[in-house]
Amino acid sequence: MYLCGMLTVNEIIEQKNFSRENIVTLLNAEGPDGLFLLKRAGEQKLNIVGNKVYLRGLIELSNICEKDCFYCGIRKSNKKINRYNLSDEEVLKAARFAFQEKFGSIVIQSGEVTNEKFVARIEKLIILIKELSEDKLGITLSFGEQSESVYRRWFAAGAHRYLLRIESSNPVLYKKLHPDDGHHTFQQRLAALNLLKEIGYQTGTGVMIGTPGQTIEDLADDLLFFRNFDIDMVGMGPFIEHNDTPFKIPAADSLPLSGRFNLSLKMVAILRLMMPTINIAATTALQAIDPLGREKAVMAGANIIMPNITPGSYRNNYLLYNNKPCTDEEPEQCAGCLDARLALADSEIGYGEWGDSIHFTNGK
Ligand code: 5AD
Ligand code: FES
């Protein structure tokens, strides 16, 4: 049943009319309409970016963090976790592994640390990884908000992509997700994203889906934000409670995990229809809810997977949320399992390729 004047899911997709109101209709699509949305987005992906999925080997360098986001398991106030810091040799070994396995690119991520020692260390590691891979391994960074000069140093050292999630494009909701201490402002986050773009990074952002207090309209606005910001890459996934955070108990009106999962797939699908040439990640949080979550996201439009190549013994300490998958495996086990999994999703891995966002390389 549709109200007079409102377009159907089918019409919205055929007319490519992604107004706020229409995005809300798509996000609410259930049953056959919902399946149609996922199917059309999958087709759009095959037509525009093809059936290749590109790998970014994820190295979780350290879980030490200066920030205190209410939702995150490695927040500064969580005294229950063992803080670790990989040695340089461990990071280089993981990078070498990614290179040998033809992953094409790595992502180095950690909690937010801003001191000079850390900055210089990352700079050195970027240079060493470029050297060991004869300049071939693409390097994406995910180290949160840093100053302009730091972003520039790391870019000059050889990193060319940066991930910084906006978490929510609604400043009011952003404020509810972060402490009001002057160090977690929406404006700072937006300024950092602008800097990254200006410096020349392929810039990625994203949001969590199903956070306390979030509405469907907020999610529609998030998708419009990605488009208006002309983003190159997006990683987004369901919010999952972590026991040792202030957000450990689901709010009374919060969606069940299955609902957050379905909404996340629809977010991926709608974004693929709105921005056909960008890179969209099938995120690990999806896999935490459904063992085939990443493959389902690939079917609905995602084209990037970030297999965890952090040495196994540390993985249990980088728990951003409950039930994070594959934390007891060694990297060697991941690589083999991915080919089989992706064959299920009618896709193949783009081994040895950077798989840059076409949106970026085509100059938008
Ligand atoms: N559930 C889901 N995603 C989370 N992140 C942090 N905590 C959680 C959580 N509890 C996401 C944030 C962050 C990224 C590295 O992980 O979006 O940007
Ligand atoms: Fe580390 Fe949010 S808790 S950046």
Side-chain angles (χ1 to χ4, degrees), residues 69-74 109 142 164-167 189 206-209 211 235-242 245 247 285 318-322:
C69 309
F70 291 140
Y71 45 83
C72 185
I74 65 168
Q109 184 172 63
S142 179
L164 182 64
R165 289 191 181 178
I166 190 82
E167 311 298 358
R189 180 59 56 102
V207 294
M208 286 178 294
I209 296 155
T211 48
M236 53 189 172
F239 162 66
I240 304 171
E241 287 78 7
H242 185 291
T245 67
F247 283 2
Y318 204 88
L319 300 183
L320 307 180
Y321 41 82
N322 294 342

Side-chain angles (χ1 to χ4, degrees), residues 84-250:
Y84 73 87
N85 202 351
L86 296 188
S87 68
D88 286 358
E89 199 31 60
E90 283 168 323
V91 176
L92 296 174
K93 189 172 164 220
R96 217 171 280 125
F97 169 81
F99 181 54
Q100 281 158 4
E101 295 292 318
K102 301 200 165 43
F103 273 26
S105 301
I106 53 169
V107 177
I108 323 176
Q109 184 172 63
S110 81
E112 204 172 294
V113 175
T114 52
N115 62 56
E116 170 57 29
K117 192 172 153 214
F118 178 82
V119 170
R121 177 181 181 216
I122 299 303
E123 189 175 30
K124 186 184 77 187
L125 284 170
I126 296 168
I127 292 168
L128 290 174
I129 292 168
K130 280 288 170 190
E131 270 173 25
L132 73 82
S133 68
E134 298 144 28
D135 255 5
K136 292 204 180 87
L137 206 51
I139 302 180
T140 307
L141 303 180
S142 179
F143 295 124
E145 291 170 20
Q146 303 283 343
S147 69
E148 176 172 355
S149 63
V150 170
Y151 285 152
R152 286 194 187 278
R153 273 167 71 181
W154 290 343
F155 189 71
H160 75 296
R161 306 186 190 110
Y162 203 102
L163 303 173
L164 182 64
R165 289 191 181 178
I166 190 82
E167 311 298 358
S168 169
S169 63
N170 174 350
V172 178
L173 182 55
Y174 190 93
K175 220 170 164 173
K176 287 188 194 147
L177 301 176
H178 300 97
D180 191 9
D181 59 1
H183 300 298
H184 293 77
T185 72
F186 180 78
Q187 285 315 324
Q188 253 169 267
R189 180 59 56 102
L190 198 57
L193 271 174
N194 273 308
L195 274 175
L196 291 165
K197 234 172 107 174
E198 205 180 292
I199 292 169
Y201 282 99
Q202 254 176 78
T203 307
T205 193
V207 294
M208 286 178 294
I209 296 155
T211 48
Q214 185 183 53
T215 64
I216 288 286
E217 285 74 18
D218 285 328
L219 289 171
D221 288 338
D222 290 337
L223 292 172
L224 291 167
F225 171 83
F226 300 150
R227 193 174 65 181
N228 294 340
F229 196 82
D230 205 22
I231 203 75
D232 303 306
M233 324 181 282
V234 171
M236 53 189 172
F239 162 66
I240 304 171
E241 287 78 7
H242 185 291
N243 285 338
D244 303 316
T245 67
F247 283 2
K248 64 179 169 195
I249 299 168

Side-chain angles (χ1 to χ4, degrees), residues 26-85:
L26 295 180
L27 286 169
N28 283 323
E30 298 286 352
D33 275 352
L35 290 176
F36 179 75
L37 165 65
L38 301 185
K39 184 166 156 272
R40 286 309 306 273
E43 287 166 5
Q44 167 98 307
K45 184 191 80 164
L46 290 179
N47 289 338
I48 313 255
V49 296
N51 78 333
K52 279 195 184 161
V53 168
Y54 299 100
L55 301 182
R56 317 283 184 234
L58 175 64
I59 304 171
E60 293 159 337
L61 178 122
S62 166
N63 63 358
I64 300 169
C65 190
E66 292 169 359
K67 290 250 176 111
D68 223 7
C69 309
F70 291 140
Y71 45 83
C72 185
I74 65 168
R75 64 198 300 267
K76 188 179 178 183
S77 298
N78 183 6
K79 305 287 180 226
K80 290 200 185 156
I81 57 170
N82 291 324
R83 302 286 170 175
Y84 73 87
N85 202 351

